[in-house]
Amino acid sequence: MSTGLRYKSKLATPGEPDDIDKQYVGFATLPNQVHRKSVKKGFDFTLMVAGESGLGKSTLVHSLFLTDLYKDRKLLSAEERINQTVEILKHTVDIEEKGVKLKLTIVDTPGFGDAVNNSECWKPITDYVDQQFEQYFRDESGLNRKNIQDNRVHCCLYFISPFGHGLRPVDVGFMKALHEKVNIVPLIAKADCLVPSEIRKLKERIREEIDKFGIHVYQFPECDSDEDEDFKQQDRELKESAPFAVIGSNTVVEAKGQRVRGRLYPWGIVEVENQAHCDFVKLRNMLIRTHMHDLKDVTCDVHYENYRAHCIQQMTSKLTQDSRMESPIPILPLPTPDAETEKLIRMKDEELRRMQEMLQKMKQQMQDQ
Amino acid sequence: MDERQSPSPCSSRPSSPRTPPCEMLGSVGIEAVLDQLRIKAMKTGFEFNIMVVGQSGLGKSTMVNTLFKSKVWQSSLPSLELPMPQTLELHSMTHVIEEKGLKLKLTVTDTPGFGDQINNDKCWDPVLSYINQQYEQYLQEELLITRQRHIPDTRVHCCVYFVPPTGHCLRPLDIEFLQRLCRTVNVVPVIARADSLTIEERNAFRSRIQENLKTYCIDVYPQKCFDEDINDRLLNSKIREQIPFAVVGADREHLVNGRCVLGRKTKWGIIEVENMAHCEFLLLRDLLIRSHLQDLKDITHNIHYENYRVLRLNESHQLPRGPGCVNLAPASPGQLICPGPGKVRRRANKDSKEDEG
């Protein structure tokens, strides 16, 4: 009961401590406890960026997280680009802000869409995403689950070129290959070369084509009906501006006496954080401030579960082919199973089967009654 | 302008030793020839054939409209109902533009679908075969016994190649295309949609492109080897330093400081197309229209076309014998690129050819 006094809660009113103590349980403080624990543990987030080269991907990542992950990057020359294949590069950085730690992993995909012949250029990327799922699956089914590292890709920012009239065949191919595996957030890159009417038309066009090709991009969750009007309005605006038209910048320029992150042109200054200029702020808020956790949840609950179900189905169909007993817990073919672990696994198998049979018997008994 | 009197073709043009001018004892009136030429030119008018190549959305149609200050080209948006074209199709449209009594017959050839597919291998073949087709057509006309007084010229005089403003360097597709096309036609590369690059990025991009062009021996217009004299060389080297031009196209007008200018209006300012501080559109326009239009035509006729002609005549192993016409064997697939899958709409002059046959 003393917990009710330690953490201030809305229910406690001064002047009637005894009565409140009797009625008040005190679990309204749970969110604070969760908060403290997560702050201690820290968060991790894996973001993938994909798109043709020259669309400003690294600049945008720099602007979003205000860290230069690409300090030592060397741009490939034209000769090197001719023979390049799609690579997967991971950069990890630990960011801390107001005591909250974030382990951010950026997965880059240089070489995507750059060759003359780009058939199946998304295959290395789908293989990578599947590999991370498989790794997590193994870890989850393993015996020591204390320190599972979650390397699954939580979100993929896909950069659409602003110069096209909508989606290109490569864009459609990529999104269709990955929409069931990862949360895709399409973006219109380098939006400072478009005037407002062009941006509007392009967004409409992209939305139509996404519907037409049946691509499932990341959907923002519906906000609860008891949220306040402001929040609902924000949520509506967010949904209406998808796909976001973004601009990134590595430089800080002076505009109207203030130092802002932007791009200096002879005809004016584009401010990255000005909502009237581009949707960068909306993207940043969505990605980091409001929807980061939802992205992780959807990855765990939807994409990973799909993968897991698919995997188990494949394995059980193989098992029945080998005419072994079906086990409720999928046994992964461990690379080097030693005799003791196998015995242990078999014992647990038997136990579980016995428990299942008991449950069946109990159910039948209840039905008979 | 009488094209049959053009100087001899192919490689180097040796300058004949000039005879010293003799002293004039009075005014004869030779300069009146210039007036006669001008009157004749006004009557017959000029022809100019330009081809624009580049990925969709790089502003090719807008650029053509901006260059010729008229809605020469309706930019065609691919509609949702029709599937994206699987092969490259070339479309040509001809317009007659008039300025101060002078008529210009302008033909613009567009290449929708270039570089847009997932697999862009050999996407340059339809373009090359179109260009060679035009040369072939001209050649056939030239070889007739009774030729037309003025052979209609559909040969591509200039190919403007739009490089997307990635800011890095030339892409493999750009290099493949430019290498092949510079040998057959005058190519002017431009940095398209340059309003997405700041001035520093633009200059860095330009110098990288120039390096790439040098590394891959891509000879863009104005070609160094065709400079006739020191004046040409000076003028052209200034242009060569600035190739590729960073251009922005616009067909809408806005009010800036009381003047009506062509430009693009954004929330942070108006990009004026004809302002040298904003983009290099004026340089492109001057090159293509005001200063080098005739030169483009001359080089196409004297060099590219003659190269093609020599190739074809050597192939057929039959050199012209006297007044008879030459029956050229069909082009073998090894030497030249046969007219490929590209569908082209062109004016058919087949009737006259089949009579002579």
Side-chain angles (χ1 to χ4, degrees):
Chain A
M1 286 307 136
S2 58
T3 51
L5 294 170
R6 217 204 300 169
Y7 302 107
K8 279 213 184 94
S9 93
K10 287 190 198 148
L11 295 172
T13 49
E16 298 177 338
D18 291 334
D19 283 344
I20 299 303
D21 259 353
K22 285 185 203 143
Q23 301 161 15
Y24 180 54
V25 178
F27 58 77
T29 61
L30 273 170
N32 296 0
Q33 297 179 32
V34 170
H35 179 256
R36 276 184 20 186
K37 282 227 165 189
S38 4
V39 168
K40 258 200 271 178
K41 195 169 120 183
F43 299 92
D44 59 4
F45 191 68
T46 307
L47 179 70
M48 175 183 273
V49 284
E52 286 178 358
S53 69
L55 286 180
K57 300 188 291 290
S58 23
T59 314
L60 187 75
V61 167
H62 182 111
S63 315
L64 273 173
F65 298 103
L66 297 176
T67 44
D68 197 358
L69 292 156
Y70 299 94
K71 256 191 297 266
D72 308 317
R73 178 175 82 146
K74 199 175 69 87
L75 281 176
L76 290 181
S77 69
E79 298 89 63
E80 289 163 348
R81 269 171 214 249
I82 287 187
N83 295 322
Q84 191 193 30
T85 49
V86 182
E87 281 179 81
I88 306 280
L89 290 179
K90 262 171 57 164
H91 307 267
T92 311
V93 71
D94 284 311
I95 310 179
E96 186 169 329
E97 201 181 66
K98 293 198 186 137
V100 182
K101 294 195 207 62
L102 174 69
K103 177 160 159 273
L104 175 71
T105 309
I106 305 279
V107 180
D108 204 358
T109 56
F112 176 81
D114 286 342
V116 178
N117 182 354
N118 291 313
S119 313
E120 303 279 309
C121 62
W122 47 81
K123 195 151 181 324
I125 302 175
T126 46
D127 287 346
Y128 176 81
V129 174
D130 282 338
Q131 253 172 36
Q132 304 313 307
F133 279 155
E134 194 187 319
Q135 181 69 45
Y136 194 82
F137 189 26
R138 278 182 198 275
D139 289 346
E140 208 187 37
S141 316
L143 293 168
N144 186 354
R145 305 204 296 184
K146 253 195 223 154
N147 300 318
I148 302 184
Q149 266 229 331
D150 188 3
N151 290 324
R152 297 173 293 185
V153 179
H154 298 125
C155 177
C156 174
L157 294 179
Y158 186 71
F159 288 70
I160 300 172
S161 167
F163 308 122
H165 294 295
L167 291 178
R168 292 228 174 101
V170 184
D171 302 335
V172 178
F174 176 90
M175 290 205 268
K176 288 209 78 136
L178 267 112
H179 63 160
E180 303 290 355
K181 295 184 201 271
V182 83
N183 297 317
I184 298 185
V185 176
L187 301 174
I188 300 176
K190 288 198 170 177
D192 52 350
C193 70
L194 297 172
V195 295
S197 55
E198 291 168 350
I199 294 186
R200 229 188 349 257
K201 267 190 242 160
L202 187 60
K203 283 191 183 180
E204 268 173 33
R205 181 84 194 208
I206 293 180
R207 279 199 283 256
E208 278 169 13
E209 290 185 338
I210 286 181
D211 277 334
K212 176 179 150 203
F213 289 107
I215 299 171
H216 305 303
V217 293
Y218 173 67
Q219 302 290 336
F220 304 122
E222 297 296 330
C223 52
D224 303 321
S225 49
D226 57 350
E227 298 281 357
D228 57 13
E229 258 313 303
D230 259 349
F231 189 78
K232 280 199 202 157
Q233 173 69 14
Q234 260 188 7
D235 194 58
R236 247 197 311 264
E237 278 175 22
L238 200 72
K239 292 201 176 112
E240 277 164 23
S241 351
F244 299 128
V246 292
I247 303 170
S249 169
N250 285 335
T251 53
V252 177
V253 294
E254 189 139 330
K256 297 180 211 138
Q258 275 189 327
R259 288 180 67 79
V260 287
R261 188 164 276 270
R263 289 169 67 73
L264 176 65
Y265 289 113
W267 48 86
I269 300 182
V270 182
E271 296 167 42
V272 166
E273 293 182 7
N274 186 335
Q275 296 241 29
H277 289 188
C278 72
D279 296 330
F280 173 80
V281 175
K282 289 206 181 80
L283 172 69
R284 184 182 59 190
N285 288 346
M286 189 278 294
L287 196 61
I288 304 174
R289 293 180 195 179
T290 48
H291 288 68
M292 187 182 263
H293 208 76
D294 185 62
L295 284 163
K296 291 176 72 169
D297 282 344
V298 175
T299 310
C300 296
D301 298 339
V302 179
H303 299 298
Y304 173 67
E305 290 300 320
N306 282 342
Y307 173 85
R308 186 169 169 277
H310 179 73
C311 233
I312 293 177
Q313 263 182 0
Q314 277 192 329
M315 277 196 301
T316 48
S317 62
K318 235 174 51 161
L319 283 178
T320 49
Q321 276 173 19
D322 297 347
S323 66
R324 267 165 62 185
M325 299 291 275
E326 275 194 32
S327 61
I329 294 183
I331 309 239
L332 281 177
L334 296 167
T336 49
D338 61 323
E340 218 177 282
T341 348
E342 276 216 346
K343 214 173 77 180
L344 210 70
I345 291 170
R346 242 176 280 136
M347 266 173 42
K348 297 241 184 250
D349 233 359
E350 303 266 325
E351 247 186 84
L352 276 157
R353 229 174 334 112
R354 262 181 269 134
M355 279 170 56
Q356 269 208 329
E357 282 170 24
M358 264 174 38
L359 270 163
Q360 287 275 21
K361 274 198 218 128
M362 280 166 60
K363 244 199 244 175
Q364 274 201 321
Q365 279 181 0
M366 280 172 55
Q367 280 181 354
D368 293 340
Q369 283 174 8
Chain B
M1 299 286 233
D2 210 348
E3 288 170 324
R4 262 169 264 159
Q5 286 179 1
S6 44
S8 65
C10 287
S11 34
S12 55
R13 291 181 262 175
S15 50
S16 49
R18 302 214 169 173
T19 48
C22 51
E23 228 182 276
M24 302 285 296
L25 298 170
S27 159
V28 177
I30 299 176
E31 62 266 17
V33 175
L34 291 173
D35 288 330
Q36 295 174 30
L37 279 173
R38 191 171 299 131
I39 295 173
K40 192 139 188 241
M42 302 278 272
K43 265 204 271 179
T44 51
F46 287 85
E47 282 173 316
F48 191 54
N49 305 325
I50 186 173
M51 176 186 270
V52 284
V53 185
Q55 281 184 314
S56 68
L58 285 180
K60 305 188 289 291
S61 350
T62 315
M63 179 53 61
V64 171
N65 287 345
T66 320
L67 271 173
F68 296 100
K69 284 224 167 111
S70 44
K71 289 265 183 196
V72 172
W73 195 264
Q74 282 297 346
S75 126
S76 55
L77 270 186
S79 66
L80 271 182
E81 292 80 46
L82 301 170
M84 249 199 147
Q86 287 303 311
T87 53
L88 182 59
E89 293 185 10
L90 286 89
H91 298 299
S92 277
M93 265 190 4
T94 308
H95 288 263
V96 177
I97 312 176
E98 191 168 327
E99 192 181 72
K100 292 199 185 144
L102 186 64
K103 288 199 197 68
L104 176 69
K105 185 156 149 237
L106 176 72
T107 306
V108 181
T109 310
D110 195 4
T111 54
F114 177 83
D116 285 336
Q117 313 303 328
I118 294 184
N119 183 355
N120 291 312
D121 239 346
K122 306 259 193 298
C123 66
W124 43 81
D125 277 351
V127 177
L128 280 174
S129 69
Y130 175 81
I131 295 174
N132 286 331
Q133 252 171 25
Q134 307 314 306
Y135 288 152
E136 181 67 29
Q137 213 174 352
Y138 196 88
L139 183 64
Q140 295 293 342
E141 292 282 343
E142 226 185 21
L143 295 170
L144 293 176
I145 299 178
T146 35
R147 295 191 278 200
Q148 298 181 43
R149 184 192 170 86
H150 177 78
I151 302 178
D153 191 1
T154 54
R155 300 170 295 187
V156 178
H157 298 131
C158 177
C159 173
V160 183
Y161 186 74
F162 287 70
V163 177
T166 57
H168 296 176
C169 60
L170 284 181
R171 302 167 304 155
L173 177 64
D174 300 332
I175 293 175
E176 293 279 333
F177 183 85
L178 287 170
Q179 270 183 326
R180 288 178 168 78
L181 250 81
C182 279
R183 295 185 223 134
T184 359
V185 75
N186 297 320
V187 179
V188 177
V190 293
I191 300 176
R193 304 287 286 257
D195 52 346
S196 65
L197 298 170
T198 59
I199 303 286
E200 299 90 40
E201 291 168 352
R202 189 193 286 182
N203 292 333
F205 188 35
R206 197 204 315 273
S207 52
R208 273 194 282 262
I209 293 184
Q210 283 172 347
E211 266 173 44
N212 288 154
L213 292 177
K214 215 185 293 176
T215 317
Y216 287 93
C217 304
I218 299 172
D219 213 1
V220 295
Y221 183 84
Q223 295 94 334
K224 221 178 247 186
C225 42
F226 303 145
D227 286 340
E228 282 183 19
D229 54 23
I230 188 79
N231 291 331
D232 272 354
R233 209 170 299 139
L234 278 176
L235 181 65
N236 287 346
S237 25
K238 255 197 259 164
I239 295 176
R240 274 190 281 267
E241 270 168 40
Q242 292 170 309
I243 289 238
F245 302 131
V247 294
V248 176
D251 44 15
R252 287 223 193 104
E253 291 197 334
H254 302 276
L255 214 62
V256 171
N257 295 340
R259 294 173 301 136
C260 228
V261 287
L262 277 176
R264 287 166 68 72
K265 183 163 186 202
T266 59
K267 291 242 163 75
W268 45 88
I270 299 186
I271 305 163
E272 295 169 46
V273 165
E274 290 179 352
N275 185 339
M276 271 308 290
H278 290 188
C279 77
E280 293 159 4
F281 168 76
L282 288 181
L283 292 177
L284 179 68
R285 185 193 60 189
D286 289 348
L287 179 76
L288 285 185
I289 303 176
R290 292 196 186 172
S291 51
H292 286 66
L293 193 146
Q294 190 55 41
D295 190 46
L296 282 162
K297 292 175 69 172
D298 285 344
I299 294 193
T300 308
H301 180 73
N302 298 332
I303 301 189
H304 295 298
Y305 170 67
E306 292 297 328
N307 283 342
Y308 177 84
R309 185 170 169 276
V310 165
L311 220 67
R312 285 285 280 127
L313 292 179
N314 280 339
E315 256 177 37
S316 67
H317 302 299
Q318 279 178 320
L319 298 171
R321 283 185 240 106
C325 85
V326 178
N327 188 11
L328 285 180
S332 57
Q335 287 277 352
L336 297 165
I337 296 167
C338 272
K343 293 175 241 165
V344 178
R345 265 183 259 136
R346 54 189 164 97
R347 288 161 297 139
N349 282 343
K350 283 207 183 131
D351 310 297
S352 50
K353 269 191 280 176
E354 270 155 9
D355 290 344
E356 305 295 332

